[in-house]
Structures are given as C-alpha cells and as structure tokens.
Amino acid sequence: MAMSFLNLIYRPSSSPKAIFCPKPSTTGLSSNNKFSIKFPICCSNIKTNNTTTTTTTSGTKDHKLSWENELIRAFETSSPVERDDDDELFQDLVDKRCVDNIRMLIVDSVQYAKAGHPGMPLGMAEVGYFLYRHVMKYNPNNPNWFDRDRFVLSAGHGCLLQYVCLHLAGFQSIQLEDLRRLCKLGSRTPGHPENVLTDGIEVTTGPLGQGVANAVGLALAEAHLAARFNKPDAVVVDHRTYCIMGDGCAMEGISHEAASLAAHWKLNKLTLIYDDNKNTIDGHTTLAFSEDISSRFKALGWNTITVDNIHEDLGEFKRALLSASNETEKPTFIQVKTLIGKLSVKEGTSDAHHGTFKEDDVNRMRQKIKWEDREPFHIVPMVYREMQIHTEQGERREQDWYSTLNYYRNKYPQEAMEFEILLNGGLVSGWESSLPTWSNSDPVDATRGYSEKCLNHLAKVIPGLIGGSADLASSNKAYLHGYKDFSQPDSPWGRNIRYGVREHGMAAISNGIALHGSGLIPFAATFLIFSDYMKNSIRLAALSHAGVIFIMTHDSIGLGEDGPTHQPVEQLAGLRAVPRLLVFRPADGNETAGAYRVAVANRDVPSLIALSRQKVNSNLSGTSAGAVEKGGYILSDNSGEDLPEIILISTGSELCLCEGSADTLRKEGRKVRVVSLVCWRLFDRQPMEYKEFVLPRSVVKRVSVEAGSPHGWREYVGWDGVVLGVEDFGASGAYLDTFKKFGFTEENVTKISRSLLDR
C-alpha cells in the first residue's frame, strides 16, 4: 500500500527544517507581514478601479535634469524642466529615447556579428522596452524568484530584443560584451533564446509557435498553484505570463491548439502580443496568409485588442495592457501593428527579417534619431537608471513576497510545507518507496496498466505530479484518480489536464509547466504512433532540460486490429536518437516501476516510457526495478562462470519471447544469456567494465528482438548477430496473428538462435 504524502513529509528526514528556500537580498526587507495585491503595470499614474501605482523617482526634478540635454538633442525641443512638463509627457519623451537606444544597440549587434535577425527587434522595440521598463514584475538580482512574471519570446528569431532588454534591466547574464558576441560559439546570446544558457530566458524557443504553447503551460501552472495555495489574507502565487508571437507563430498549427486550450481554461493572466508586421522570410504575408487573426482568437474565446500606432503612441499599448490586467475570465490577445526593420531603408519589407545593413543605411538611421557622433554600442547612462527604477520596484516586491511567505508559514504551516516542497523541486525523502511492487501471483496486465498503478501511487506522495492525455486517458491509463480535472472556475486545483485531441499542443504546454520552476512534474500521454505529432516539442524538452514524463502506450505492431496507421514501427528509433531523452520500454510491472523511478528522479531531462496494450506478466522472472537505472542488465543466464554461447537481447513485451526461447535452448544444453535493454541511453552511459560484463565482446552470436524498426540495434548485436525487427509497416489483425506474421514468436526466436549457434 502506498504511503500518503503527509506520512512522508512528516518523517524526520523531511522536517520543515530541511526545506530550503532561496534567500532574498537583505536590503529593504519589510517587517509588514500583511500582503497587498499590487497592480502589475508600474507606469506613472496608471489607475484601475481600486489601485494606483506610481513611479516615485522618475518625476523628480533631479531625474528630469539628468535627462535634459539628451531630450533636447533628440527632439530639438526646449528644456522639459524649464517648461515644467507634466510627468506623463516627460515620461513619454524618456520612453521614446530609450527605445531609440535599444534600436541602435540592435543595429550595432547585428553589424558587429555580421549575423542575426534585426527586423522583428527593430519593429517591436517599443513593446520590449515597455514590458521590461513599466510592466513586468522581476528582480534581475534574483532571476529565479518564484513569483516573477514570465516572459516568452515565441518569435525566437527576435531574441536580440530580449537580450538588449535583459542587459539594460541589469541581468548579469547579458553584459555589453555579450551583445557584441551575438550568435558566436559559446556566447550567452545564441541565435535563438536558450533557457539553459542565459538567466532571464524562461524557455527555449525557435520553431515557431512553440513559445505560445509554452506560455500557456506557464499560465496554467500559475493558475493551478494559486488555486491550491492562496488564502484571502496571504497571496503567495500571483504573477502573469507575457508572450510575443509573430506571423509565423500564427501560421503554425500548434499555436491554434494552445490558444484554444488557453481560452477553454480561462487563463486570464496570459497576455499574447502579436507582432503584426505582415512579413515572413519569403515576402509579404499575403503570399500565403489572409485570415483575420484577431477574429480567430476572438472566436476561440480570447479578449482581443488592436494597437494601430505603437511607433507614435505608446499610450495605446499601455491601455491595451490595462485591459488585459482587468480581464478576469479570458486570456488577452493584443494585435500590435508594427513596421519590421523600423528606421532602416528595409523598413516594412521582408528583406529586413535577417541580415546586416549597408553602411549608408546605418548612417541614415543614426541621423534620423540624432545618434551621429556616438560610438557603436553606446548606451545613454540615464537609460540604465531608467530601467533601474523599475528593477528596484521588483526588488521591493520580492521582499514583500518573502514577508508574505513568512506570514503564510506561521498561519498556514501545513500548506506552507507542501508549497515549499514544490518550490524546492517537488520531491520528498522516501518517495521511491511509494512505487508498487509485483509478485508472480499478481494478475497479468499490459504495461500501460502497471503504469496506471505507478502514477496513482506516486500522486499520493508527490504533490507536483500533474498531467493528462490527448483524449486517450482511458486507453493510456494516464489519469490520477481522486484528484479532479483542472478546470476554471470549478476546480483549478485539479491535477488531471484534459488536452483533447491536441498532441503537439499538449507536449509544448507540458514543457511550459515543467519550466515554470515550481516543482510541478508534468506527464503527457498518447499512443506512441502520435509521438510524431509531438516530436519537435519532445526535442525541445530535451534541449531545454524540461523534465516532462511522456507516456506512450500501444507501443508496437502488437496493437493489432487498428492496423498500420496506428502501429508504430520507426518511432522508437527516432526517439532514441534525440539527445538526452531517456526512452524506456519496460517488459513488466517491475521494469515499469523502475522506469518511473528514474524518470521522476531526473528533473532536468525528459523521459519517454513506451508501454504495451497487450498483456504481459506482472513479474517476469529476473526483472528488477532497481536495475532499470543502468539501462540494461542480465535477466537470466545458465552459463555459470563460463561465457554464454549466445545472447538474446530484447525490450518490452518481446522480452518474454526471448526468455521462453532461452528455456528451450537451455534444455538442449545450450548456454544462453538473456539481456533486458530497457533504456539504451542509460546503458550507453555505464562504465565500459559494466557494458563488457553484460555484453562481452567475445560473444558475437547475438539476437535482438523488438517489434519495431531494426535501426540502431546493430550497435548491440554486431555484424555477426541477427536483428529481428519490423522492416515494413504493420498489418491489421489480432495482435497474436500480427506478431506471428512478422516473426515475433518463441518458435521463430528459437529457430533464429539455433541457426546462429550452428554456424
């Protein structure tokens, strides 16, 4: 019987004393434990129905004086101080000059690197600046502060805009030298954003549309945790998610899948900002795109707003964000009409998408904004200070949050304990012991059935386990019983996610949940054949160190009657080729539990568990949950101290065929070893001595048996061995008949082995 979560957390090894929470900086710590909800936009004098926020230092006379010469130079105006401009007008001028500086840093970076994608950053400079200067809640001195706002750049080719904003905002991960090293080998400013390289980058994007789905996952995580932990007098989860998408993201189907779910889930703290510049690489969007994208999002159920003139009127964008922050039921889609390559002679054309600028074009851009006599990478000193005003507010907000957390610990100790376990990775001491074990007397089941038992045992002790299936929960057996469905407003605390028939969106949303950094451990389930729909997201999970658990059932031609359209053949080979991804194909209940043990423990790599539809023994003699962590091990061997004559190697439901064949051969006096190669990547990582112990090089007579593509097996079988696999598509028929047609029977494995032994 699985122990409960509370039984585990109240063990001595899991006492509150052991809980780690990152320490904030000690400056300005508030002694007030009461929490007040702050309006997320920090612009001067922006008002909501019941909240006003002000920027306390930007309107002072000293601050205006520091900007005086720069504003006179830029706008050929009289002194804003002598004119006694009101604070809002003064801030508008400052904002415009900061945007000018951002644009020139973008131009300088591309020119210096002789590479990059400047078009989108130049066109969206106002949006990037405004978000980092006036809107988002963050602390550059603690980039991983839990309650920060999340920002995702789905149009990842425009990463230079985010790099510049991160630098100006004070993130140590982007120094001025990093802007000079755009796209260079080993730099922290790669050609598309990578979360594992650069603090301040939440997710790794690149393939268009992925970031939209990632942002939905981040917003779902916030909504789920807020429902579970917030109290009327202590709000510990309260942040927003912002995402910039482009025309390419709008065209990719994954964005539609994710947007549909975001509206269905009522993720009102999600704001999607659409860079509507009407250009892609090949030319104007009218080449292939003529729909009304705003109407599409409105039909999906989004709050939609159009900003027509952001280059001249930042206030229009400000008002759009206000509308988003006031929305209580719908996510918000803001269509921002921009000019790609703003300032350049390429402005408004697809030529601006990527590449450098001619020297005379750069000179004209400098003249337009009064930048002629400045060296490349010049930054007006007051721009740093302008951004610092906002980041200081972020520091104070973080301090307030820690004060609230202290109050929360004292008043709600049980909830606080669970919350902090999540913030520290989500695993409690001894969680592994919750996994079920099986004996020979247990009834036979498919490995998908053993998986269901593992998931539900784990859910009782791992508070962050959350996930769902692409409309196949009853087939995948991937449902947490007794934990309700995530649904707003009914049960946002639910830990089952209903994705509908949206495999690609499901995978990328799961990546967002995993990268939320809150200890949530997402699982995503479907048939193995549909992993093809998810492949790009699975690859990005590996690239971005997102510890998603992908549950793939109906893992072979053993599926039977559904026929070759639903029978995976080449999928395992392709997935095993993905760097870092751990692919498991367990043979029984023991190996299934072992696969989950490794998958849950490894929080910085994704895992994929391929499971059978057909029934197999719950406890195949010789299998070991603990041995799964080595990837491959000896299941049985009658060779004693001698080397075997032949080695049979297999995975999944075919392992029992090898064991049955081995029994027959042993009765004939043969020395036979059977090896379970449940996870190739883990086996490949073992020391050479161990690999030699399991698969001694001197034993060249080997047979591999797997009801999938033979691709890759030759590495373990060698050129003298035999690979029994599926070299064509499957066939429709009862699974035993299908297995027989393709040679997956004990008799055929024995025949192949005898032939090899007789050579």
Side-chain angles (χ1 to χ4, degrees):
M1 177 181 269
M3 61 189 71
S4 71
F5 168 72
L6 288 178
N7 285 341
L8 278 177
I9 65 174
Y10 282 119
R11 285 175 161 188
S13 59
S14 300
S15 65
K17 201 174 193 178
I19 296 173
F20 169 76
C21 197
K23 289 185 178 180
S25 58
T26 57
T27 58
L29 183 61
S30 171
S31 60
N32 180 14
N33 282 333
K34 290 291 288 180
F35 183 83
S36 60
I37 301 175
K38 291 183 173 61
F39 184 65
I41 300 177
C42 303
C43 312
S44 301
N45 301 321
I46 294 182
K47 296 183 179 180
T48 64
N49 292 333
N50 56 6
T51 310
T52 300
T53 64
T54 59
T55 304
T56 57
T57 58
S58 63
T60 64
K61 186 172 182 179
D62 286 345
H63 183 68
K64 288 184 176 181
L65 284 169
S66 70
W67 271 104
E68 184 173 29
N69 291 336
E70 186 64 29
L71 297 183
I72 292 172
R73 169 195 177 114
F75 304 111
E76 297 180 344
T77 181
S78 58
S79 168
V81 180
E82 291 177 2
R83 294 201 316 263
D84 195 25
D85 287 345
D86 64 65
D87 290 349
E88 188 168 357
L89 177 57
F90 170 78
Q91 188 64 51
D92 285 344
L93 293 174
V94 168
D95 290 343
K96 287 179 180 178
R97 197 52 172 166
C98 290
V99 170
D100 287 342
N101 205 155
I102 287 174
R103 284 202 170 99
M104 290 317 304
L105 286 171
I106 290 164
V107 171
D108 292 339
S109 296
V110 170
Q111 295 300 97
Y112 197 84
K114 295 181 174 55
H117 297 80
M120 177 272 192
L122 289 173
M124 287 287 280
E126 286 89 353
V127 169
Y129 165 76
F130 200 81
L131 289 174
Y132 277 90
R133 167 59 183 93
H134 292 299
V135 179
M136 293 194 300
K137 179 175 64 171
Y138 61 89
N139 179 7
N141 295 316
N142 185 12
N144 295 320
W145 167 40
F146 165 75
D147 208 35
R148 69 193 182 277
D149 288 342
R150 269 61 168 184
F151 173 77
V152 178
L153 189 64
S154 187
H157 56 277
C159 56
L160 185 50
L161 175 61
Q162 189 174 13
Y163 296 152
V164 170
C165 290
L166 288 173
H167 171 68
L168 295 176
F171 284 79
Q172 295 302 303
S173 54
I174 301 289
Q175 300 296 314
L176 197 57
E177 182 59 29
D178 294 304
L179 298 180
R180 298 175 186 269
R181 301 192 65 237
L182 177 69
C183 301
K184 301 300 182 187
L185 188 65
S187 75
R188 292 183 291 188
T189 49
H192 287 79
E194 297 182 39
N195 65 307
V196 296
L197 290 180
T198 313
D199 284 342
I201 304 294
E202 300 287 354
V203 298
T204 296
T205 59
L208 295 176
Q210 286 285 333
V212 175
N214 295 159
V216 173
L218 292 168
L220 183 148
E222 193 277 345
H224 171 75
L225 293 170
R228 283 176 66 173
F229 294 106
N230 284 348
K231 304 294 182 182
D233 61 335
V235 177
V236 292
V237 184
D238 182 24
H239 52 268
R240 306 183 71 87
T241 302
Y242 298 90
C243 176
I244 291 177
M245 63 176 279
D247 288 303
C249 299
M251 295 180 194
E252 290 286 1
I254 186 173
S255 66
H256 186 90
E257 292 183 25
S260 173
L261 284 167
H264 179 74
W265 291 330
K266 297 179 172 58
L267 299 178
N268 65 293
K269 287 187 177 180
L270 171 62
T271 301
L272 188 57
I273 303 165
Y274 172 38
D275 174 24
D276 182 16
N277 65 40
K278 293 184 167 52
N279 278 276
T280 56
I281 293 174
D282 280 352
H284 199 277
T285 52
T286 52
L287 290 172
F289 195 56
S290 53
E291 68 195 62
D292 184 339
I293 186 68
S294 188
S295 294
R296 185 218 290 185
F297 273 79
K298 186 175 183 179
L300 289 173
W302 286 62
N303 170 36
T304 59
I305 306 166
T306 298
V307 175
D308 289 307
N309 193 23
I310 193 168
H311 297 315
E312 300 300 327
D313 182 12
L314 263 173
E316 193 178 359
F317 183 56
K318 182 191 303 184
R319 291 186 290 274
L321 291 170
L322 266 173
S323 174
S325 66
N326 288 328
E327 175 60 55
T328 59
E329 291 189 357
K330 300 177 180 180
T332 296
F333 176 82
I334 303 176
Q335 181 177 14
V336 182
K337 296 182 179 180
T338 66
L339 288 168
I340 188 172
K342 176 68 175 171
L343 283 185
S344 166
V345 295
K346 301 177 182 180
E347 182 180 293
T349 71
S350 60
D351 289 342
H353 178 269
H354 62 277
T356 58
F357 302 97
K358 293 181 179 178
E359 187 175 347
D360 58 349
D361 190 9
V362 174
N363 291 334
R364 276 192 294 267
M365 285 190 272
R366 287 173 167 271
Q367 290 169 4
K368 286 180 182 179
I369 63 169
K370 307 297 187 293
W371 211 265
E372 300 95 322
D373 59 345
R374 287 173 168 168
E375 294 294 319
F377 296 98
H378 176 79
I379 297 175
V380 176
M382 290 79 74
V383 173
Y384 282 125
R385 176 56 189 150
E386 196 67 27
M387 300 296 284
Q388 187 181 4
I389 292 169
H390 186 65
T391 58
E392 286 172 353
Q393 291 177 340
E395 290 177 356
R396 288 192 293 271
R397 287 184 169 203
E398 183 181 4
Q399 303 306 332
D400 288 346
W401 182 80
Y402 276 104
S403 295
T404 304
L405 186 59
N406 287 331
Y407 173 79
Y408 190 87
R409 287 186 185 115
N410 292 329
K411 189 168 182 182
Y412 307 102
Q414 184 169 316
E415 292 93 331
M417 182 178 293
E418 184 173 338
F419 182 56
E420 292 194 64
I421 286 171
L422 284 173
L423 296 193
N424 289 281
L427 299 179
V428 295
S429 176
W431 64 268
E432 304 96 331
S433 60
S434 71
L435 284 163
T437 57
W438 282 270
S439 67
N440 291 323
S441 61
D442 288 324
V444 297
D445 200 352
T447 52
R448 64 173 175 168
Y450 303 131
S451 166
E452 179 182 31
K453 292 181 175 64
C454 289
L455 273 176
N456 280 275
H457 280 65
L458 287 169
K460 296 176 182 177
V461 299
I462 298 178
L465 191 65
I466 181 173
S469 174
D471 195 49
L472 290 169
S474 58
S475 293
N476 299 145
K477 306 293 184 183
Y479 191 83
L480 306 181
H481 300 292
Y483 289 96
K484 290 190 176 292
D485 295 343
F486 173 83
S487 175
Q488 295 201 93
D490 300 329
S491 52
W493 53 84
R495 290 164 61 182
N496 292 290
I497 303 174
R498 299 287 190 174
Y499 286 105
V501 189
R502 300 183 184 91
E503 292 89 356
H504 199 183
M506 171 180 68
I509 288 169
S510 298
N511 289 348
I513 295 171
L515 295 173
H516 187 251
S518 53
L520 294 178
I521 301 175
F523 61 88
T526 187
F527 291 174
L528 181 59
I529 190 69
F530 301 138
S531 65
D532 286 344
Y533 282 150
M534 307 164 63
K535 183 66 176 296
N536 219 332
S537 295
I538 293 172
R539 182 178 187 273
L540 284 171
L543 184 59
S544 59
H545 298 191
V548 180
I549 300 173
F550 297 103
I551 301 169
M552 302 286 159
T553 68
H554 299 60
D555 68 347
S556 74
I557 60 171
L559 173 57
E561 290 85 346
D562 278 349
T565 64
H566 280 53
Q567 293 172 5
V569 173
E570 74 279 14
Q571 281 68 31
L572 279 172
L575 291 163
R576 284 167 174 156
V578 177
R580 301 179 189 152
L581 178 66
L582 300 179
V583 178
F584 300 88
R585 189 165 183 253
D588 65 356
N590 290 332
E591 287 196 347
T592 303
Y596 273 104
R597 180 172 180 166
V598 177
V600 171
N602 283 273
R603 292 293 77 233
D604 61 347
V605 294
S607 299
L608 187 147
I609 305 176
L611 301 161
S612 72
R613 179 200 187 197
Q614 67 272 23
K615 293 182 178 181
V616 295
N617 287 331
S618 59
N619 186 346
L620 183 62
S621 180
T623 58
S624 165
V628 170
E629 68 181 10
K630 293 184 179 298
Y633 62 96
I634 299 171
L635 183 76
S636 64
D637 192 346
N638 68 329
S639 306
E641 295 183 359
D642 299 327
L643 289 174
E645 297 175 75
I646 191 171
I647 302 176
L648 308 182
I649 315 168
S650 189
T651 71
S653 55
E654 294 82 76
L655 188 61
C656 66
L657 301 181
C658 290
E659 186 63 17
S661 175
D663 286 343
T664 299
L665 293 171
R666 287 164 185 159
K667 289 174 183 176
E668 297 172 1
R670 298 294 193 173
K671 297 176 181 178
V672 183
R673 174 176 294 181
V674 177
V675 169
S676 172
L677 206 62
V678 60
C679 179
W680 293 12
R681 177 154 283 115
L682 289 178
F683 182 73
D684 291 345
R685 291 176 182 171
Q686 299 308 309
M688 185 59 68
E689 295 79 9
Y690 178 77
K691 289 187 284 188
E692 174 65 20
F693 168 71
V694 175
L695 296 175
R697 281 170 289 185
S698 58
V699 181
V700 297
K701 294 180 179 181
R702 304 179 185 184
V703 179
S704 70
V705 181
E706 185 174 68
S709 169
H711 189 77
W713 273 108
R714 188 62 62 186
E715 180 178 349
Y716 303 101
V717 172
W719 292 107
D720 294 318
V722 176
V723 176
L724 176 57
V726 181
E727 302 204 31
D728 201 343
F729 295 109
S732 182
Y735 94 85
L736 287 175
D737 293 339
T738 307
F739 262 33
K740 184 176 181 180
K741 170 181 170 62
F742 287 93
F744 293 97
T745 63
E746 282 187 22
E747 293 77 13
N748 190 46
V749 174
T750 303
K751 177 183 176 182
I752 292 170
S753 300
R754 285 179 181 142
S755 175
L756 194 58
L757 285 165
D758 291 341
R759 285 184 188 173

